[in-house]
Amino acid sequence: MTSTPASVGIVVAQRAAFLQPLALASGATLPSFELMYETYGTLNADRSNAILVCHALNASHHVAGVYANTAESEGWWDNMIGPGKPVDTDRFFVIGVNNLGSCFGSTGPASINALSGKPWGSDFPIVTVEDWVDAQARLADRLGIRRFAAVMGGSLGGMQALSWSIRYPERIANALVIAAAPNLSAQNIAFNEVARAAIMTDPDFHDGHFYDHGVKPVRGLRVARMIGHITYISDEQMAEKFGRQLRDGLNFSFAPEFEIESYLRYQGEKFAEYFDANTYLRITKALDYFDPGLATGGDLAHALAPATCRFLVISFTTDWRFSPARSREIVKALVDNRRDVSYAEIVAPHGHDAFLLDTPQYHAIVRTYLARAPR
Amino acid sequence: MTSSMRADFSTIAGWIAPASRVLDLGCGDGSLLAHLRESCGATGYGIEIDDAGVLASIGNGVSVLQSDLESGLAGFDDQSFDSVILSQTLQAMRRIELIVSEMLRVGREAIVSFPNFGHWSHRTQVMRGRMPVSPSIPYQWYDTPNIHLCTVADFDALCVEQGIHVLERVVLHETRRVRVLPNLLGSLAIYRIRRDQRTPG
């Protein structure tokens, strides 16, 4: 009964305001906050067909479809979500939500701090994956969703799905944890720290209060994004896409000569135009801090003991930022708890970026799993 | 492997206590686990390396973990399953001793089934100078996945050598049990084994 895969079409973002304070992991409290979200498909009568999609570092609530009269406005996971797609909006009510601290409309460092009447800047608290999940749970309450059919995400989004299974076990029937890890390795934290250093040493950063100065630390953001991009692609993919190709021969200069240089500069520039430096700092910090096993003395199985949902864990063979071995740690902890878990290791050449692409086996696994998933 | 119920399924199901935790190595499309879930309320996981098998298992509602058995069962704790099953996969594996000892480490018991190379039809084909092809080993020598074919007598000998206690042995031919001259008249052998308590290691 599946239709030909199609787009969800034109979508409109919505805003939800929460006036009850939110206690954060840091000890700080957000007196009130707003979350941007989008929904696709129809919530069924018993409200049992909702799927929450959690975003990764640079994405937003705009998961699928397009905005009216806006060119190139396709949602970041449009290949996954829509009528007849692996996450079938003919069956499921799908919610995309923008996390706290982000720069796409949810309350974040660029929002106005009611106390000062000025943008929060570096005064915006450091938020964690757990804080995001708590805020998402408030949105679920608002939408009348007691229990999600599934919470899913890739990379940092997968960490949120994992966190949901621990924090709200009774509110989630399935967790799809894709290209994720139980925590970041030292190498991963190191990459994040270089990115943060690039931003914080930019003279236009002004200790995070650059809004007051009418500038943006775009140079730092560009470098941060360039570093990130290197880690999202596999060595083999980079060799295949760019190799040692030159744009215009060797000119014995420091202008971009190799295609890879020009690609990274382009990615950096594009990113710095729309992304907020304070958000980048906070989201990388949330990545670094995520470590559910920390509370249980490093014992991930113990940390996952409260989880009762079914799990689908997926990794990609050439992902070296969140390698299959890290996903297997999650699987082992779930097996130790005798949880219902399936694990697929997808052969894909693209590195970490593979979770955003449409490798047939990957999409078939998600489609088949969700088609059978009990709520 | 086909999705239809294989000849060894009902024998295996008879050896699985109700509500057992089982691990099915090389689970293919998950049909054995699905059968054990229906027939004895078993829970557990299948392990499969092949993409199509993993997808089909998920489609059959079976919990499947994509992994290469040749690297052992490192993700599983000692004695964490009631039974570890290797159904008609042994003959295609490289490291037989490793996988059998891993099965007995992770499971309190293990069930192993394999095509019996000692069946008379195989022997006569070898006598005539050709590699055997039969319903139980349906491959030509040049395209077979089977690299470690053995006879019932061979597996018995391995068990003695490795200190493995054979709890039960059923030899079938075309779903019928063969009690007389099983190594000659049987085409499919199914063993229920455990580590011999008297022999350490």
Short mmCIF file of all heavy atoms in Angstrom, two decimals, chain A residues 64-93:
data_model
loop_
_atom_site.label_atom_id
_atom_site.label_comp_id
_atom_site.label_asym_id
_atom_site.label_seq_id
_atom_site.Cartn_x
_atom_site.Cartn_y
_atom_site.Cartn_z
N ALA A 64 11.99 17.91 6.07
CA ALA A 64 11.49 17.44 4.78
C ALA A 64 10.66 18.53 4.11
O ALA A 64 10.26 19.52 4.74
CB ALA A 64 10.63 16.19 4.97
N GLY A 65 10.42 18.36 2.81
CA GLY A 65 9.62 19.30 2.05
C GLY A 65 10.38 20.57 1.71
O GLY A 65 11.60 20.66 1.92
N VAL A 66 9.64 21.53 1.17
CA VAL A 66 10.25 22.81 0.76
C VAL A 66 9.41 23.95 1.32
O VAL A 66 8.26 23.77 1.69
CB VAL A 66 10.32 22.93 -0.78
CG1 VAL A 66 11.29 21.92 -1.36
CG2 VAL A 66 8.94 22.76 -1.41
N TYR A 67 10.03 25.12 1.35
CA TYR A 67 9.30 26.32 1.73
C TYR A 67 8.76 26.99 0.47
O TYR A 67 9.42 26.97 -0.58
CB TYR A 67 10.20 27.30 2.48
CG TYR A 67 10.62 26.80 3.86
CD1 TYR A 67 11.91 27.01 4.33
CD2 TYR A 67 9.71 26.13 4.67
CE1 TYR A 67 12.29 26.55 5.59
CE2 TYR A 67 10.09 25.68 5.93
CZ TYR A 67 11.38 25.89 6.38
OH TYR A 67 11.75 25.45 7.62
N ALA A 68 7.59 27.58 0.57
CA ALA A 68 6.96 28.22 -0.58
C ALA A 68 7.84 29.34 -1.12
O ALA A 68 8.44 30.10 -0.34
CB ALA A 68 5.59 28.77 -0.17
N ASN A 69 7.95 29.39 -2.42
CA ASN A 69 8.67 30.48 -3.10
C ASN A 69 10.11 30.64 -2.63
O ASN A 69 10.63 31.75 -2.60
CB ASN A 69 7.93 31.82 -2.92
CG ASN A 69 6.48 31.71 -3.31
OD1 ASN A 69 6.16 31.12 -4.36
ND2 ASN A 69 5.59 32.22 -2.48
N THR A 70 10.73 29.53 -2.22
CA THR A 70 12.12 29.61 -1.78
C THR A 70 12.93 28.56 -2.54
O THR A 70 12.66 27.36 -2.41
CB THR A 70 12.24 29.36 -0.27
OG1 THR A 70 11.26 30.15 0.40
CG2 THR A 70 13.63 29.71 0.24
N ALA A 71 13.88 29.02 -3.32
CA ALA A 71 14.69 28.09 -4.09
C ALA A 71 15.61 27.29 -3.17
O ALA A 71 16.01 27.78 -2.11
CB ALA A 71 15.53 28.86 -5.12
N GLU A 72 15.90 26.07 -3.55
CA GLU A 72 16.83 25.20 -2.81
C GLU A 72 16.52 25.15 -1.32
O GLU A 72 17.40 25.29 -0.49
CB GLU A 72 18.28 25.67 -3.03
CG GLU A 72 18.75 25.45 -4.45
CD GLU A 72 20.19 25.92 -4.68
OE1 GLU A 72 20.99 25.84 -3.73
OE2 GLU A 72 20.49 26.33 -5.81
N SER A 73 15.25 24.97 -0.99
CA SER A 73 14.87 24.98 0.43
C SER A 73 14.46 23.59 0.90
O SER A 73 13.73 23.44 1.87
CB SER A 73 13.72 25.97 0.65
OG SER A 73 12.57 25.55 -0.06
N GLU A 74 14.94 22.56 0.23
CA GLU A 74 14.59 21.20 0.60
C GLU A 74 15.09 20.86 2.01
O GLU A 74 16.20 21.23 2.39
CB GLU A 74 15.24 20.24 -0.41
CG GLU A 74 14.56 18.91 -0.53
CD GLU A 74 15.05 18.18 -1.77
OE1 GLU A 74 16.23 17.79 -1.77
OE2 GLU A 74 14.27 18.03 -2.73
N GLY A 75 14.27 20.15 2.78
CA GLY A 75 14.67 19.75 4.13
C GLY A 75 15.89 18.83 4.10
O GLY A 75 16.17 18.17 3.10
N TRP A 76 16.61 18.78 5.23
CA TRP A 76 17.91 18.11 5.25
C TRP A 76 17.82 16.59 5.16
O TRP A 76 18.80 15.93 4.85
CB TRP A 76 18.72 18.54 6.47
CG TRP A 76 18.09 18.24 7.80
CD1 TRP A 76 17.26 19.08 8.50
CD2 TRP A 76 18.21 17.05 8.58
NE1 TRP A 76 16.86 18.47 9.66
CE2 TRP A 76 17.43 17.23 9.75
CE3 TRP A 76 18.89 15.84 8.42
CZ2 TRP A 76 17.31 16.25 10.74
CZ3 TRP A 76 18.79 14.87 9.41
CH2 TRP A 76 18.01 15.08 10.55
N TRP A 77 16.64 16.02 5.45
CA TRP A 77 16.51 14.56 5.35
C TRP A 77 15.34 14.22 4.44
O TRP A 77 14.62 13.26 4.66
CB TRP A 77 16.32 13.93 6.73
CG TRP A 77 17.06 12.65 6.93
CD1 TRP A 77 17.78 11.96 5.98
CD2 TRP A 77 17.16 11.88 8.14
NE1 TRP A 77 18.33 10.83 6.53
CE2 TRP A 77 17.97 10.76 7.85
CE3 TRP A 77 16.66 12.05 9.43
CZ2 TRP A 77 18.28 9.79 8.84
CZ3 TRP A 77 16.97 11.09 10.39
CH2 TRP A 77 17.77 9.98 10.09
N ASP A 78 15.18 15.04 3.40
CA ASP A 78 14.04 14.88 2.50
C ASP A 78 14.06 13.52 1.78
O ASP A 78 13.01 12.99 1.43
CB ASP A 78 14.03 16.01 1.47
CG ASP A 78 12.73 16.07 0.71
OD1 ASP A 78 11.74 16.55 1.30
OD2 ASP A 78 12.69 15.60 -0.44
N ASN A 79 15.25 12.95 1.57
CA ASN A 79 15.29 11.64 0.89
C ASN A 79 14.76 10.51 1.77
O ASN A 79 14.42 9.44 1.30
CB ASN A 79 16.71 11.33 0.37
CG ASN A 79 17.74 11.22 1.47
OD1 ASN A 79 17.42 11.02 2.64
ND2 ASN A 79 19.01 11.35 1.11
N MET A 80 14.68 10.77 3.08
CA MET A 80 14.27 9.74 4.03
C MET A 80 12.79 9.83 4.40
O MET A 80 12.15 8.82 4.72
CB MET A 80 15.13 9.87 5.30
CG MET A 80 14.88 8.84 6.38
SD MET A 80 15.35 7.18 5.88
CE MET A 80 17.07 7.14 6.41
N ILE A 81 12.26 11.06 4.35
CA ILE A 81 10.94 11.31 4.93
C ILE A 81 9.98 11.88 3.90
O ILE A 81 10.27 12.90 3.28
CB ILE A 81 11.08 12.26 6.14
CG1 ILE A 81 11.83 11.54 7.27
CG2 ILE A 81 9.71 12.74 6.63
CD1 ILE A 81 12.69 12.41 8.09
N GLY A 82 8.85 11.22 3.73
CA GLY A 82 7.83 11.71 2.80
C GLY A 82 6.89 10.57 2.46
O GLY A 82 7.09 9.43 2.90
N PRO A 83 5.87 10.86 1.66
CA PRO A 83 4.94 9.79 1.28
C PRO A 83 5.66 8.70 0.49
O PRO A 83 6.35 9.01 -0.49
CB PRO A 83 3.91 10.51 0.38
CG PRO A 83 4.16 11.97 0.58
CD PRO A 83 5.55 12.15 1.05
N GLY A 84 5.57 7.47 0.94
CA GLY A 84 6.22 6.36 0.25
C GLY A 84 7.71 6.25 0.47
O GLY A 84 8.37 5.36 -0.05
N LYS A 85 8.27 7.14 1.27
CA LYS A 85 9.71 7.09 1.58
C LYS A 85 9.93 6.19 2.81
O LYS A 85 8.96 5.74 3.44
CB LYS A 85 10.24 8.50 1.80
CG LYS A 85 10.27 9.29 0.47
CD LYS A 85 10.88 10.66 0.63
CE LYS A 85 10.90 11.36 -0.74
NZ LYS A 85 11.32 12.76 -0.63
N PRO A 86 11.20 5.89 3.14
CA PRO A 86 11.43 4.96 4.26
C PRO A 86 10.69 5.35 5.54
O PRO A 86 10.13 4.49 6.22
CB PRO A 86 12.95 5.03 4.44
CG PRO A 86 13.47 5.31 3.07
CD PRO A 86 12.45 6.24 2.44
N VAL A 87 10.69 6.63 5.87
CA VAL A 87 9.84 7.11 6.96
C VAL A 87 8.60 7.67 6.27
O VAL A 87 8.56 8.81 5.83
CB VAL A 87 10.56 8.18 7.80
CG1 VAL A 87 9.66 8.66 8.94
CG2 VAL A 87 11.87 7.64 8.36
N ASP A 88 7.58 6.82 6.17
CA ASP A 88 6.45 7.07 5.28
C ASP A 88 5.42 7.98 5.96
O ASP A 88 4.76 7.57 6.92
CB ASP A 88 5.82 5.72 4.90
CG ASP A 88 4.79 5.85 3.80
OD1 ASP A 88 4.37 6.97 3.50
OD2 ASP A 88 4.42 4.80 3.24
N THR A 89 5.29 9.17 5.43
CA THR A 89 4.35 10.13 6.05
C THR A 89 2.89 9.80 5.73
O THR A 89 1.99 10.45 6.25
CB THR A 89 4.67 11.57 5.62
OG1 THR A 89 4.77 11.62 4.19
CG2 THR A 89 5.97 12.04 6.23
N ASP A 90 2.67 8.78 4.88
CA ASP A 90 1.30 8.28 4.73
C ASP A 90 0.88 7.47 5.96
O ASP A 90 -0.30 7.27 6.22
CB ASP A 90 1.16 7.38 3.48
CG ASP A 90 1.20 8.20 2.19
OD1 ASP A 90 0.94 9.42 2.26
OD2 ASP A 90 1.48 7.61 1.13
N ARG A 91 1.88 6.97 6.70
CA ARG A 91 1.60 6.16 7.89
C ARG A 91 1.94 6.89 9.18
O ARG A 91 1.31 6.68 10.21
CB ARG A 91 2.44 4.87 7.86
CG ARG A 91 1.99 3.84 6.87
CD ARG A 91 2.75 2.54 7.13
NE ARG A 91 2.49 2.02 8.46
CZ ARG A 91 3.42 1.47 9.23
NH1 ARG A 91 4.67 1.39 8.83
NH2 ARG A 91 3.12 1.01 10.42
N PHE A 92 3.02 7.68 9.12
CA PHE A 92 3.52 8.29 10.35
C PHE A 92 3.33 9.80 10.37
O PHE A 92 3.33 10.45 9.32
CB PHE A 92 5.01 7.97 10.51
CG PHE A 92 5.30 6.51 10.77
CD1 PHE A 92 5.86 5.71 9.79
CD2 PHE A 92 5.00 5.94 12.00
CE1 PHE A 92 6.12 4.36 10.03
CE2 PHE A 92 5.26 4.60 12.25
CZ PHE A 92 5.82 3.81 11.26
N PHE A 93 3.20 10.31 11.57
CA PHE A 93 3.17 11.75 11.81
C PHE A 93 4.58 12.12 12.27
O PHE A 93 5.02 11.71 13.35
CB PHE A 93 2.14 12.05 12.90
CG PHE A 93 2.07 13.49 13.32
CD1 PHE A 93 1.62 14.47 12.45
CD2 PHE A 93 2.42 13.87 14.61
CE1 PHE A 93 1.52 15.80 12.84
CE2 PHE A 93 2.33 15.20 15.02
CZ PHE A 93 1.88 16.16 14.13
#
